């Protein structure tokens, strides 16, 4: 059973930064793709970033490209989302996920079988 435990998040002002972490049980990130999604009240879960286990270049949503960076530390079984230049519209509950999507579904939350507990990011203007 894959378990994902998230940490990080918080309340910041626009322009500041945060880093989210997602630690997995076992060697999850060597076997599964990792992704970050976010969800605001009343909205559908939105793709943020993802990467395949083969250390290929990460995928990013256009809304975060150039500001957010996905990284992975296999030795710590942890993936990270570094979020710089945060904007109020980045406010959401952020989730990490693990799964085996094909390239065409890597941005689709239904392609991921395992989810972290979620962590809140709030950005004030």
């Amino acid at each position: 059973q894959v378990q994902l435990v998230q940490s990080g998040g918080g309340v910041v002002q626009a322009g500041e930064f945060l880093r989210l972490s997602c630690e997995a049980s076992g060697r999850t990130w060597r076997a599964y793709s990792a992704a970050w999604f976010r969800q605001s009240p009343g909205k559908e879960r939105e793709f943020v970033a993802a990467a395949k286990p083969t250390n290929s270049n990460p995928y990013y949503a256009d809304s975060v490209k150039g500001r957010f960076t996905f990284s992975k530390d296999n030795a710590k079984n942890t993936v990270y989302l570094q979020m710089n230049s945060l904007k109020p519209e980045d406010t959401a509950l952020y989730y990490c996920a693990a799964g085996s999507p094909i390239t065409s579904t890597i941005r689709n939350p239904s392609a991921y079988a395992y989810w972290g507990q979620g962590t809140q990011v709030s950005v004030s203007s």
Side-chain angles (χ1 to χ4, degrees):
Q1 182 71 13
V2 173
Q3 293 185 323
L4 306 179
V5 179
Q6 296 180 224
S7 59
V11 180
V12 296
Q13 293 188 330
E16 295 184 340
F17 65 90
L18 285 170
R19 188 177 78 160
L20 305 182
S21 301
C22 179
E23 184 176 359
S25 56
R27 302 172 70 181
T28 296
W29 302 129
R30 297 179 187 271
Y32 292 104
S33 293
W36 291 96
F37 290 85
R38 65 188 182 186
Q39 190 166 19
S40 302
K43 294 187 178 181
E44 293 187 353
R45 196 161 293 189
E46 176 190 19
F47 171 76
V48 176
K52 294 185 176 181
T54 54
N55 293 323
S56 58
N57 290 334
Y59 300 79
Y60 295 100
D62 288 343
S63 59
V64 307
K65 200 173 294 183
R67 300 188 297 122
F68 290 13
T69 302
F70 176 100
S71 62
K72 181 170 62 172
D73 187 335
N74 282 331
K76 296 182 178 180
N77 298 320
T78 301
V79 297
Y80 304 95
L81 184 68
Q82 177 70 37
M83 305 184 295
N84 297 333
S85 302
L86 282 161
K87 304 176 180 180
E89 51 263 44
D90 295 318
T91 295
L93 191 60
Y94 282 70
Y95 296 92
C96 65
S100 301
I102 58 176
T103 300
S104 62
T105 63
I106 202 165
R107 293 176 172 81
N108 189 337
S110 65
Y112 296 85
Y114 306 102
W115 291 85
Q117 81 275 19
T119 185
Q120 180 67 38
V121 171
S122 298
V123 185
S124 61
S125 58

